[in-house]
Amino acid sequence: SLLRLSVLGFVDAHDARMIRTVEVIRERLAVPPHGFLRRYSTATVRDGLADGEGVFLLCTFWLVDALIMQGDVDGARRLFERLLDVSNDLRLLAEEYDSQANELLGNFPQAFTHLGLINSAFRLRAACS
């Protein structure tokens, strides 16, 4: 939710605190090789799931938005395209994604994930215009 602070007008995207917030979130929650975000650190939070939770796609769309607002449009576009690459043959997305098994997890299709996709797509288009 911290990635939404600039979108909602609480903190300027170029404020040093917001820039560092995005950096720390990426350092602690991004999962290789895609760079998608977890909702929380599965190493420190006991969530009751045997293998932990997958990466949370909506949070990753929020990262796309934060990168756009900070001026990293190319990085945002690359991340956005990687998100699109994990959709199914109908271009639908789930709530989560397993980066190791390369499969969609959780609620499917997930409306909130698709809202994130649409919002990020509009922001990318505006940033590229």
Side-chain angles (χ1 to χ4, degrees), residues 67-112:
L67 293 173
I68 292 166
M69 294 187 74
Q70 290 182 348
D72 185 6
V73 177
D74 289 335
R77 181 185 300 114
R78 286 190 302 272
L79 183 57
F80 183 82
E81 289 171 355
R82 285 194 300 271
L83 283 159
L84 293 180
D85 286 344
V86 302
S87 64
N88 74 357
D89 57 331
L90 298 175
R91 289 301 204 196
L92 295 174
L93 292 164
E95 179 179 30
E96 300 174 34
Y97 181 74
D98 183 333
S99 296
Q100 302 301 316
N102 293 319
E103 65 183 7
L104 297 167
L105 302 172
N107 296 320
F108 179 87
Q110 174 52 256
F112 292 123

Side-chain angles (χ1 to χ4, degrees), residues 2 10 23-24 35 37 64 98 111 121:
L2 293 174
F10 287 103
E23 289 172 356
V24 170
L37 298 181
V64 169
D98 183 333

Side-chain angles (χ1 to χ4, degrees), residues 9-99:
F10 287 103
V11 179
D12 185 89
H14 300 286
D15 184 293
R17 295 170 298 173
M18 192 63 201
I19 291 169
R20 184 64 184 138
T21 296
V22 173
E23 289 172 356
V24 170
I25 287 171
R26 291 179 92 176
E27 289 167 9
R28 296 184 184 177
L29 299 177
V31 176
H34 301 95
F36 299 165
L37 298 181
R38 295 190 181 281
R39 285 192 296 176
Y40 51 84
S41 171
T42 55
T44 59
V45 174
R46 295 189 61 164
D47 56 15
L49 300 172
D51 296 325
E53 176 174 88
V55 293
F56 207 71
L57 299 177
L58 178 58
C59 293
T60 308
F61 281 114
W62 291 348
L63 175 58
V64 169
D65 296 343
L67 293 173
I68 292 166
M69 294 187 74
Q70 290 182 348
D72 185 6
V73 177
D74 289 335
R77 181 185 300 114
R78 286 190 302 272
L79 183 57
F80 183 82
E81 289 171 355
R82 285 194 300 271
L83 283 159
L84 293 180
D85 286 344
V86 302
S87 64
N88 74 357
D89 57 331
L90 298 175
R91 289 301 204 196
L92 295 174
L93 292 164
E95 179 179 30
E96 300 174 34
Y97 181 74
D98 183 333
S99 296

